[in-house]
Amino acid sequence: MIRVPAVWVECLVSPARAHSVVRPGLTRRVFRRLFSCHQPLKIETIWLPFCLLRFRLEDYGLQNGFFILVDGYARLARQMDSADLARTDRPEAVNEFPYPLDEEETIEIARDYLYTLRMARVLPSGVTFGQVPTIEQVIQYPFLVVYRRSILGGVTFDLVDGLSGKRVGALVGQAFIAALHRRNTDSV
């Protein structure tokens, strides 16, 4: 496991806003009312971990380096323009997940991402990377989970980004399921 400080990003979206974002269109609302599954069962805020790495790039003109955010559960990376997020103290009733990867796996995912940027010609070919990136911190990023009853009687969920207030895609949903699965297998 990675031994760096964890920081929490402040959730700026209210549960009512999250419910309005994932609310279905008019046709689906009428259909769901017939089967009494239009109201959410529960809305909770969770924090999924991301590891922030800083690569030193030579001959590129970036003083602070090149920041990459690695999602340990989805095993994906993306570029981050700035390391400045609205940080907060650890919330009281926090529903967080531990970062699942070790340092070597995290660095490998970040390097693979940098090479794909180079292959896509996002980074110029003359740019060279520093040997070892600096692992800055683990960021606990907020998402709101809106649980509702499915038409078949089970439970389904939608995820909303805790900063932008937008519905997130399938990859974040898969990461959430992987985090839940890991939490359940670790507790058994």
Side-chain angles (χ1 to χ4, degrees), residues 108-173:
E108 181 181 333
I109 291 169
R111 282 197 176 140
D112 289 346
Y113 178 72
L114 283 176
Y115 292 128
T116 58
L117 288 179
R118 180 171 280 167
M119 294 300 287
R121 300 189 188 274
V122 173
L123 293 175
S125 60
V127 173
T128 57
F129 307 114
Q131 292 293 359
V132 179
T134 306
I135 296 178
E136 297 284 319
Q137 54 197 289
V138 171
I139 297 174
Q140 295 285 344
Y141 194 88
F143 294 95
L144 281 96
V145 185
V146 180
Y147 298 97
R148 73 181 71 202
R149 186 159 315 284
S150 71
I151 294 172
L152 299 175
V155 175
T156 186
F157 67 90
D158 292 305
L159 288 164
V160 176
D161 187 305
L163 291 183
S164 68
K166 295 180 182 176
R167 183 184 283 204
V168 298
L171 291 177
V172 177

Side-chain angles (χ1 to χ4, degrees), residues 68-88:
I68 293 182
L69 206 56
V70 175
D71 181 350
Y73 288 103
R75 300 176 81 71
L76 296 172
R78 63 178 161 241
Q79 178 185 357
M80 190 167 178
D81 292 332
S82 169
D84 297 326
L85 294 171
R87 292 182 175 92
T88 185

Side-chain angles (χ1 to χ4, degrees), residues 19 21-41 146-152 155-158 167:
H19 179 249
V21 167
V22 300
R23 201 171 106 187
L26 181 62
T27 306
R28 283 194 173 172
R29 273 187 278 169
V30 170
F31 185 69
R32 286 185 174 181
R33 273 206 181 124
L34 293 174
F35 293 100
S36 70
C37 56
H38 64 284
Q39 291 297 323
L41 296 172
V146 180
Y147 298 97
R148 73 181 71 202
R149 186 159 315 284
S150 71
I151 294 172
L152 299 175
V155 175
T156 186
F157 67 90
D158 292 305
R167 183 184 283 204

Side-chain angles (χ1 to χ4, degrees), residues 8-29:
W8 283 262
V9 177
E10 183 178 5
C11 184
L12 303 176
V13 177
S14 69
R17 171 83 173 118
H19 179 249
S20 69
V21 167
V22 300
R23 201 171 106 187
L26 181 62
T27 306
R28 283 194 173 172
R29 273 187 278 169

Side-chain angles (χ1 to χ4, degrees), residues 38-72:
H38 64 284
Q39 291 297 323
L41 296 172
K42 178 181 177 183
I43 299 175
E44 72 174 336
T45 305
I46 62 160
W47 280 264
L48 289 177
F50 295 86
C51 187
L52 181 68
L53 290 93
R54 183 171 53 97
F55 279 86
R56 188 174 44 91
L57 300 178
E58 299 168 6
D59 304 326
Y60 195 58
L62 291 174
Q63 299 296 329
N64 293 332
F66 192 78
F67 290 97
I68 293 182
L69 206 56
V70 175
D71 181 350

